[in-house]
Amino acid sequence: MQKEGIEMSVIDLSMAQKIFEGAQKKSSELSANFCISIVDPRGDLIMFVREDGAPWRSVFISQGKAAASAAFMQSSGKLAEGGPNPIHQGLMSMLGGRMIPGQGGLPVYDGETIVGAVGVSGGTPQEDEEVAASELKVGDRIRIRPGDNVAADGKILSGQGSINQANITGESLPVDKGTGDEVFAGTINLNGVQEVDVTSAGEDTTFGRVR
């Protein structure tokens, strides 16, 4: 039973529209056609768009990725790594397969509070995630949790952890990062939670320039 006076924080339509605009701008740069879903923290649909030519299956996949990302408060692609997780599998089974652990779903935060998630399907897994992350802009603040793919270049405002930067620098060992250090899109946070100020996003990131 929900306590009186306590409400779940959710993405409002203004925020959802900004996410859509960024995602559709990014999708216009790619050859694939996408479905984009935005959900609240429970996984209930708030906004949805299906681009002309997007596969029919992407309608359901995009919503499943968003629901999984919202439920577990991390990128949906991370849920598929490291083998089956009994907790994840159990909840997904109870919900009738509604959640899909696949790259292309990212949680959305307002400060420290999760307000929903965005899920994308229609391209390659990497393209789906690029479209999902495209609403990020310089000056935004993002929270990076253990196992998350870093979605943008930025500077750590608080927190610390170890980052796998192999696909950017070629380093085989993770690098310890803390307040004031830079992080790069496309790298993986192995442990710790960091609050990051976005300094570059999309094609302007280090990862976007070296691909």
Side-chain angles (χ1 to χ4, degrees), residues 69 72-76 78 81 105-107 109 129 143-151 162-164 186-194:
S69 185
F72 298 108
M73 297 182 292
Q74 58 182 302
S75 64
S76 58
K78 177 61 184 174
E81 298 177 4
L106 296 173
Y109 285 88
E129 187 146 318
R143 169 172 285 194
I144 304 172
R145 296 173 178 270
D148 281 353
N149 292 313
V150 180
S162 296
I163 308 290
N164 181 344
T187 59
I188 301 172
N189 181 35
L190 301 179
N191 56 59
V193 177
Q194 302 97 42

Side-chain angles (χ1 to χ4, degrees), residues 68-161:
S69 185
F72 298 108
M73 297 182 292
Q74 58 182 302
S75 64
S76 58
K78 177 61 184 174
L79 301 176
E81 298 177 4
N85 180 301
I87 294 176
H88 297 167
Q89 286 188 315
L91 183 56
M92 284 188 263
S93 178
M94 290 174 65
L95 295 175
R98 184 182 176 200
M99 300 178 189
I100 297 176
Q103 192 173 0
L106 296 173
V108 178
Y109 285 88
D110 183 5
E112 297 185 357
T113 303
I114 187 167
V115 293
V118 55
V120 178
S121 178
T124 66
Q126 184 61 44
E127 287 175 335
D128 289 349
E129 187 146 318
E130 288 178 11
V131 173
S134 59
E135 81 277 6
L136 293 176
K137 60 184 183 300
V138 174
D140 282 350
R141 293 188 179 184
I142 57 175
R143 169 172 285 194
I144 304 172
R145 296 173 178 270
D148 281 353
N149 292 313
V150 180
D153 289 357
K155 181 174 289 187
I156 297 176
L157 298 174
S158 64
Q160 57 187 7

Side-chain angles (χ1 to χ4, degrees), residues 1 8 21-22 33 55 57 62 72 78 153 172 178 181 195 205-206 208:
M1 182 175 69
M8 178 177 61
E21 290 172 358
N33 300 303
R57 59 188 177 274
S62 66
F72 298 108
K78 177 61 184 174
D153 289 357
S172 59
D181 290 334
E195 296 287 339
T205 64
T206 302

Side-chain angles (χ1 to χ4, degrees), residues 15 19 27 38 47 53-54 63 85 89 110 133 141 174 190 200:
M15 183 184 295
I19 293 173
S27 74
I38 298 176
M47 274 191 173
Q63 294 180 45
N85 180 301
Q89 286 188 315
D110 183 5
R141 293 188 179 184
L190 301 179
S200 297

